[in-house]
Amino acid sequence: MNNQDVLDKQQISDYLKDLPHWREVPGAIAAVFHAKTSAMAIELVNEIASAAELDQHHPDVDWRYNKVFVTSTSHDAGGQVTTRDIALAAKISERAEALGVAAHTELIGVVEIAIDTDDQEAISSQWAAGLGYKIASDGSLVDPNHRLPAIWFQHTTTPNPNRLHLDIWGAYSDSQKILDELQKQQAELDHESAPSFVVATDRQGNRFCICTEKDR
């Protein structure tokens, strides 16, 4: 892996302008394709596998009836986005369009679990052991099979009484609809860190963050 292949956030943003099916998520780029039939979705999965074999670069693919969820990252670059991910994304989009399978960016999403702590070292290995996770280079915990939500530790000297919260990642272009719905449901919204993230608090004091790729 050539370090020059790793893309910074501005480079990712620039590349994605030419890849309208794809959005940035933590450490990866992602797309969701919605086929007319399950058989067509399977055909797209086969096309993705063929493209991946040609490139020798393999995305995570989740087939759910007539929807195909695709996430691409470069594990040999420490879980970062590289030029190989961009090249593969372009080929996947081309094959989806050739099959007549539509992309639905509003379905792109990632959930992470955040834990407030004033001593990450004291607890991270226990969570890793319980979940069978690996400790990543940045100290977060990741599922080695890339199926379950990642866990990261938010360092604070004054942990919130409710120490766990969810980070719900989606495209900035689709985030306002979610925030409008939360407003309708009378959730308390803290926009101080928007558009990077908005903190939502429910009626019982539980928190979750609506996170986007914007201004990160």
Side-chain angles (χ1 to χ4, degrees):
M1 163 59 65
N2 186 334
N3 286 336
Q4 292 181 345
D5 291 334
V6 176
L7 304 175
D8 62 30
K9 296 196 74 64
Q10 185 57 54
Q11 290 173 314
I12 295 171
S13 178
D14 291 342
Y15 273 116
L16 291 186
K17 292 176 182 176
D18 296 322
L19 293 171
H21 298 165
W22 297 79
R23 296 290 185 269
E24 182 184 3
V25 296
I29 55 175
V32 181
F33 299 95
H34 191 175
K36 294 179 181 177
T37 66
S38 178
M40 189 178 292
I42 294 172
E43 190 173 355
L44 177 59
V45 171
N46 289 332
E47 288 291 327
I48 293 171
S50 174
E53 281 298 299
L54 286 174
D55 282 11
Q56 283 300 292
H57 187 55
H58 301 88
D60 293 331
V61 180
D62 184 3
W63 164 47
R64 299 297 176 104
Y65 184 55
N66 63 344
K67 297 183 182 70
V68 180
F69 298 78
V70 189
T71 304
S72 187
T73 187
S74 295
H75 300 295
D76 57 355
Q80 299 184 80
V81 178
T82 68
T83 53
R84 291 181 299 163
D85 298 298
I86 299 297
L88 181 59
K91 292 178 181 178
I92 291 172
S93 287
E94 288 174 2
R95 297 191 181 205
E97 289 178 342
L99 290 172
V101 177
H104 283 256
T105 58
E106 75 277 7
L107 298 179
I108 298 170
V110 173
V111 174
E112 294 182 324
I113 299 171
I115 302 175
D116 283 0
T117 178
D118 56 1
D119 189 354
Q120 177 177 335
E121 298 294 328
I123 62 173
S124 62
S125 60
Q126 295 171 339
W127 280 88
L131 290 164
Y133 277 24
K134 292 183 178 179
I135 300 177
S137 58
D138 63 359
S140 63
L141 307 182
V142 294
D143 174 12
N145 296 310
H146 313 293
R147 292 181 61 251
L148 303 177
I151 293 177
W152 68 281
F153 299 91
Q154 180 169 271
H155 183 268
T156 174
T157 57
T158 56
N160 191 280
N162 186 349
R163 293 193 177 203
L164 274 69
H165 73 269
L166 300 182
D167 282 347
I168 303 167
W169 288 83
Y172 172 70
S173 57
D174 298 309
S175 62
Q176 191 58 52
K177 290 182 291 186
I178 298 172
L179 296 175
D180 288 345
E181 182 61 25
L182 285 170
Q183 191 80 48
K184 180 180 175 182
Q185 296 301 326
Q186 298 182 328
E188 179 184 334
L189 300 179
D190 180 351
H191 292 267
E192 182 179 352
S193 300
S196 181
F197 63 92
V198 174
V199 180
T201 305
D202 70 15
R203 293 183 180 90
Q204 297 180 356
N206 303 297
R207 298 177 303 156
F208 53 93
C209 296
I210 305 301
C211 304
T212 79
E213 79 284 1
K214 196 79 169 177
D215 292 350
R216 288 268 165 183

